[in-house]
Amino acid sequence: MSETPIANSTSASAPSIEETIARIPYIAKDYQSVFAKNILAFHDYIPEIAEAFSDYEPSKFELVATDFSVDLATIGTDDLVFGGDGFRTSLMDFEYFKLSPKATNFVVKQSNGENRQGFIHLTYLDQLAELEKESQKYQSEKVFFPDSLGMLICFGLGTGFYLERLFDAHDVNRLYIYEPNHDFFYASLHLIDWANILKHIDKRGGSIHLCLGGDEEVFFGDLGNQLFRKGRYDISKSFIYEHYQDEMIKRALELFQQKSYELAYGFGFFDDALMAVAHHYHNLQTSTAIENKLPLSDNNNVPVFICGNGPSLDKNIDLIKEYQGRVLVVSCGTTIDTLLRNGILPDFHVEQERTRPVRDRLLSVDKSILSKIAFLSINTISPEVFKLFERSMFGLKADEPSTILTRELGDVGMQIKRVAYCNPTVANCALTLIEALGFREFYFIGTDLGFPSGQHHSKDSVYYNEEGEDRALFDIKGQDTISLAGNFGGTVRSSSAFGYSAQSLTAFILRSPQLRCFNLSDGALIKGAKPLEPHKVAIDTPILDKKALVDNCFDYYSLDCQSVSDLFLHKLEALDFNLFIDQLIAITHEPVSDRFSAIQNLYKQYAFLEGGGDDESLYLRDMIRGSILYTHTILSRMLQSTEDTALALEYHEKGLLVVREYLSAMKHKYAHSLLIPDDTIMAKEWESQTIFNAGEE
């Protein structure tokens, strides 16, 4: 942290604010009485804070009285933090913020009519997105600070006086405060009426979370945890207040701006979850799972090449050929075509997408070749894909409704290996599944997770023709949205999905200290995977008996799950999906009278959902949670973007009508499509432009 934080500068363009604030007298209080009252209040509401600060001793900054106010000073000096007036500086900074507030802006994209799978989610989300677009006619171009907020994220508390002013004029459903300096928070316990603030928030049904101390990584992780617990839809339009300037605040704000897309990504949705339940059930009946058991020690020192289809795969083809006999080669998704075109037969192939066209695309590979390759995937993939391979195994994808319900079966369900961090790309899936088989040394090749030099895939992939021309199967223009740290320095352009993939790989690696990972790719940095130039690779392990190695994996880990499918079906049929949906719809009918009650009703819906209804079913929760996060993203944005409250509520009610129709449609589809696998036909552009042959079986 810098020696002395600097309060945000004010502007001479609005002297009326300065004059108004200057006329507010500072009334000195009995600081010890205020402190004692606040500590008692925190004992009631957030006891861990009371415990941490009851006997706290400031280490760097102390509270001092000035001629006309109060301030913080560096201990042992006359250096004042807020220019001698920590009271009016706090109030004035907040008033200027309200004149020109900053807010996040994550918009739900429309499908543009592309809905080959017939997902009801896209149908109703498009209606909501169209409604939001219509409401924008009544919105000013400038962001305004509404009377009621879904979420306010404060970067810095300082003396805290602005909080009292905030709650005098506004309602906040969720208040999140990051204050890296414990001394500042300790001072606020003597200065402001925390007891009244906590009581007010509780009475109004809101919540407050304080992140005290910690660097920017601690802050972002903590914020993410809060959003995951209480609803990530709020991040679509959260108001962002930087109260004072300081190096730690600056780094936290920069990290938030760089990575907040992760918090608004990967919600999932109802149709996708329903499809996965069907696939899971049929895979239990007809396929083999990975048993959850002690790792196979024979695999510990076998190097593994995880091959993605990124641009840098091209320059590493010769490297893969050189070491093919000494390493396990794993192809991810469409990489199988690229490797085979270059005469490389992968030992394992991995897929992750759950729709049936994955099977259609793999028909481009001769059956006799597929029979030589072992297949790994997760329980949510189409059963038709497993039928293409002679040997296959699957793991349970974490946080899927079907996985949750299976693990609730007890020991019989827990015996199947559950894999976390296995999405959003096939590289994520490959790492977690191969690690589940006891392998510990990994080399990422072609897992660029970005667009180095403007290229999006290997030139030998199905995305380019034989002349190296782009077949327009990948929308790089629409995907090129963010910058990520590069593996070999600098930055690389990327997409939200690839950024999320890099973060997921990082999380898995850092939580798995037994792994030894190296990244040879030219794209995004994967923390925990050591950047390694291809010419520096030196693998001297003996030539592998690939057949024996793979056979050993299947002999040791294969688990027949046919009996599990019957238990799963019995448990599934015991749940009352219709009742769960009806109860949620009932909450949407509860009357709202103003913007804040509408915001709180949205949260009440989400809280009911998060609790899993009367059955407290995590399965029911996760069946529709993603869809509700999407619908509430739009509803929350509309409520806080239209200055006219009556108009905002009018559009809110129109939005709720769409949500009710969507929920009712879920009941119908659940009743008629449960346990029916996906039968989507491959898109025309893939049929006509890839090496797929529709007549080949």
Side-chain angles (χ1 to χ4, degrees):
M1 181 169 181
S2 60
E3 284 300 306
T4 306
I6 305 170
N8 284 342
S9 59
T10 57
S11 169
S13 63
S16 60
I17 290 179
E18 295 180 6
E19 291 172 357
T20 300
I21 299 299
R23 285 196 289 267
I24 300 175
Y26 175 70
I27 301 173
K29 306 169 184 176
D30 180 344
Y31 298 134
Q32 291 306 316
S33 296
V34 172
F35 176 77
K37 180 182 176 184
N38 285 335
I39 288 295
L40 282 174
F42 272 108
H43 266 299
D44 292 337
Y45 289 102
I46 315 177
E48 56 268 30
I49 285 183
E51 184 178 340
F53 286 91
S54 292
D55 299 311
Y56 179 81
E57 291 291 335
S59 60
K60 192 169 185 181
F61 299 101
E62 61 182 352
L63 193 62
V64 295
T66 61
D67 292 339
F68 47 85
S69 184
V70 69
D71 206 340
L72 289 160
T74 304
I75 293 175
T77 75
D78 294 327
D79 296 334
L80 298 174
V81 174
F82 297 108
D85 194 348
F87 171 63
R88 294 177 187 84
T89 298
S90 179
L91 300 186
M92 198 177 305
D93 185 78
F94 181 63
E95 290 302 315
Y96 276 106
F97 163 73
K98 291 203 297 181
L99 281 180
S100 186
K102 293 182 173 62
T104 57
N105 185 36
F106 292 105
V107 181
V108 175
K109 293 182 180 179
Q110 291 181 266
S111 67
N112 297 319
E114 299 175 8
N115 190 7
R116 289 183 303 104
Q117 297 92 342
F119 289 154
I120 61 172
H121 175 73
L122 295 181
T123 300
Y124 290 103
L125 209 65
D126 278 354
Q127 291 181 29
L128 283 172
E130 196 61 39
L131 190 64
E132 182 180 22
K133 190 182 297 183
E134 180 187 318
S135 73
Q136 289 170 352
K137 295 184 297 185
Y138 305 101
Q139 298 172 11
S140 61
E141 292 185 8
K142 184 180 177 183
V143 177
F144 77 101
F145 197 69
D147 51 22
S148 302
L149 294 82
M151 187 170 192
L152 173 63
I153 303 174
C154 300
F155 288 81
L157 174 67
T159 52
F161 288 110
Y162 71 84
L163 286 184
E164 295 178 323
R165 197 165 184 87
L166 167 69
F167 286 107
D168 281 345
H170 303 271
D171 277 309
V172 183
N173 190 47
R174 294 170 65 184
L175 176 63
Y176 183 99
I177 300 173
Y178 170 58
E179 176 50 72
N181 195 308
H182 285 166
D183 289 353
F184 286 12
F185 178 73
Y186 180 69
S188 78
L189 290 171
H190 297 77
L191 296 173
I192 65 174
D193 193 348
W194 273 109
N196 187 55
I197 290 170
L198 294 172
K199 183 179 179 180
H200 174 83
I201 292 172
D202 183 47
K203 183 179 179 181
R204 295 291 285 165
S207 67
I208 181 172
H209 182 81
L210 295 159
C211 179
L212 305 176
D215 61 13
E216 65 276 14
E217 295 288 349
V218 170
F219 150 73
F220 192 75
D222 182 69
L223 176 64
N225 288 336
Q226 286 296 307
L227 286 164
F228 272 84
R229 283 178 52 234
K230 297 182 179 179
R232 286 187 284 163
Y233 66 87
D234 269 328
I235 199 63
S236 65
K237 185 155 189 175
S238 292
F239 288 85
I240 310 301
Y241 176 40
E242 180 188 8
H243 179 53
Y244 64 81
Q245 295 176 0
D246 163 81
E247 187 59 34
M248 291 187 74
I249 293 284
K250 177 184 175 184
R251 291 201 301 266
L253 189 55
E254 286 176 348
L255 185 66
F256 176 81
Q257 291 166 343
Q258 291 166 8
K259 298 179 68 175
S260 54
Y261 71 88
E262 294 178 7
L263 305 174
Y265 181 83
F267 293 163
F269 56 96
F270 167 72
D271 307 82
D272 210 36
L274 188 66
M275 180 198 306
V277 171
H279 292 174
H280 170 78
Y281 173 68
H282 290 285
N283 287 331
L284 286 174
Q285 289 187 313
T286 61
S287 300
T288 305
I290 300 171
E291 187 173 358
N292 185 21
K293 59 199 304 188
L294 291 173
L296 194 58
S297 58
D298 291 351
N299 295 341
N300 184 61
N301 294 314
V302 176
V304 179
F305 282 3
I306 292 183
C307 301
N309 215 2
S312 65
L313 178 62
D314 295 334
K315 74 174 189 179
N316 287 304
I317 288 293
D318 288 341
L319 177 77
I320 299 171
K321 289 181 177 179
E322 178 185 352
Y323 287 107
Q324 186 174 7
R326 300 178 184 273
V327 305
L328 197 75
V329 178
V330 180
S331 60
C332 300
T334 58
T335 314
I336 190 171
D337 294 309
T338 308
L339 294 179
L340 291 174
R341 280 175 175 153
N342 285 277
I344 300 169
L345 182 71
D347 303 298
F348 279 100
H349 179 62
V350 179
E351 292 285 356
Q352 183 238 12
E353 293 296 330
R354 59 189 66 180
T355 55
R356 186 179 182 274
V358 171
R359 172 257 189 196
D360 296 340
R361 178 176 51 75
L362 283 168
L363 288 177
S364 63
V365 181
D366 190 272
K367 274 188 173 182
S368 64
I369 295 177
L370 288 181
S371 68
K372 300 175 184 177
I373 303 171
F375 180 60
L376 295 175
S377 191
I378 45 182
N379 55 318
T380 56
I381 197 171
S382 169
E384 297 298 315
V385 179
F386 286 98
K387 294 176 183 178
L388 297 177
F389 297 86
E390 289 190 2
R391 291 192 299 179
S392 61
M393 288 190 290
F394 67 84
L396 297 179
K397 181 177 182 285
D399 301 323
E400 280 286 332
S402 52
T403 295
I404 289 170
L405 201 61
T406 299
R407 289 172 67 81
E408 288 178 359
L409 296 173
D411 291 343
V412 69
M414 301 290 277
Q415 67 183 332
I416 306 174
K417 180 68 176 181
R418 183 179 71 110
V419 289
Y421 303 105
C422 59
N423 63 305
T425 69
V426 188
N428 298 95
C429 197
L431 176 64
T432 58
L433 288 170
I434 300 295
E435 189 276 339
L437 302 184
F439 295 94
R440 299 294 180 256
E441 186 173 318
F442 297 94
Y443 296 78
F444 295 105
I445 299 175
T447 54
D448 294 287
L449 304 178
F451 318 120
S453 304
Q455 187 179 330
H456 52 80
H457 284 85
S458 162
K459 288 287 186 178
D460 283 333
S461 71
V462 296
Y463 295 92
Y464 296 87
N465 63 23
E466 292 182 2
E467 287 72 42
E469 297 170 336
D470 198 323
R471 284 173 159 162
L473 297 172
F474 184 88
D475 179 21
I476 187 171
K477 193 172 289 186
Q479 296 289 328
D480 184 354
T481 55
I482 63 174
S483 288
L484 299 175
N487 186 44
F488 296 114
T491 59
V492 62
R493 295 298 297 171
S494 187
S495 67
S496 296
F498 283 155
Y500 183 53
S501 175
Q503 180 61 30
S504 186
L505 286 167
T506 293
F508 183 76
I509 293 169
L510 295 182
R511 285 165 173 75
S512 309
Q514 73 275 15
L515 300 187
R516 306 177 296 280
C517 298
F518 306 90
N519 189 0
L520 282 63
S521 308
D522 291 336
L525 176 71
I526 301 170
K527 293 179 182 177
K530 182 180 178 180
L532 181 65
E533 295 281 1
H535 68 272
K536 294 182 179 179
V537 173
I539 297 174
D540 56 4
T541 53
I543 298 296
L544 298 172
D545 183 340
K546 296 289 192 77
K547 184 180 183 306
L549 180 67
V550 175
D551 286 347
N552 200 21
C553 288
F554 277 87
D555 290 343
Y556 183 74
Y557 286 106
S558 291
L559 178 68
D560 183 271
C561 297
Q562 195 162 1
S563 61
V564 182
S565 67
D566 296 331
L567 295 171
F568 175 80
L569 181 60
H570 178 73
K571 193 166 185 67
L572 185 64
E573 291 173 339
L575 292 169
D576 194 336
F577 183 78
N578 284 357
L579 176 62
F580 179 63
I581 296 297
D582 287 340
Q583 289 175 325
L584 182 55
I585 291 174
I587 299 174
T588 71
H589 282 292
E590 293 180 0
V592 296
S593 56
D594 54 25
R595 198 190 310 262
F596 190 60
S597 61
I599 288 172
Q600 289 197 306
N601 181 258
L602 285 181
Y603 182 68
K604 184 176 181 180
Q605 295 169 39
Y606 187 80
F608 171 80
L609 162 73
E610 191 67 22
D614 290 346
D615 291 330
E616 298 182 353
S617 169
L618 300 183
Y619 167 86
L620 293 176
R621 177 197 71 184
D622 283 3
M623 280 300 298
I624 70 168
R625 177 164 58 177
S627 289
I628 296 302
L629 285 172
Y630 277 114
T631 60
H632 284 33
T633 287
I634 297 177
L635 293 176
S636 177
R637 285 174 54 81
M638 286 197 297
L639 272 173
Q640 298 176 89
S641 301
T642 304
E643 200 157 0
D644 185 315
T645 301
L647 206 54
L649 292 176
E650 179 183 329
Y651 274 95
H652 179 67
E653 182 54 37
K654 289 179 180 179
L656 285 178
L657 283 173
V658 177
V659 172
R660 291 174 196 132
E661 290 175 1
Y662 183 13
L663 290 168
S664 296
M666 287 182 190
K667 287 169 42 178
H668 179 82
K669 186 166 185 176
Y670 191 88
H672 291 84
S673 300
L674 183 65
L675 304 184
I676 298 177
D678 178 51
D679 59 359
T680 306
I681 304 300
M682 176 177 275
K684 294 283 186 186
E685 59 268 26
W686 278 84
E687 285 187 22
S688 60
Q689 297 189 53
T690 72
I691 56 178
F692 169 72
N693 183 345
E696 184 178 353
E697 286 297 334

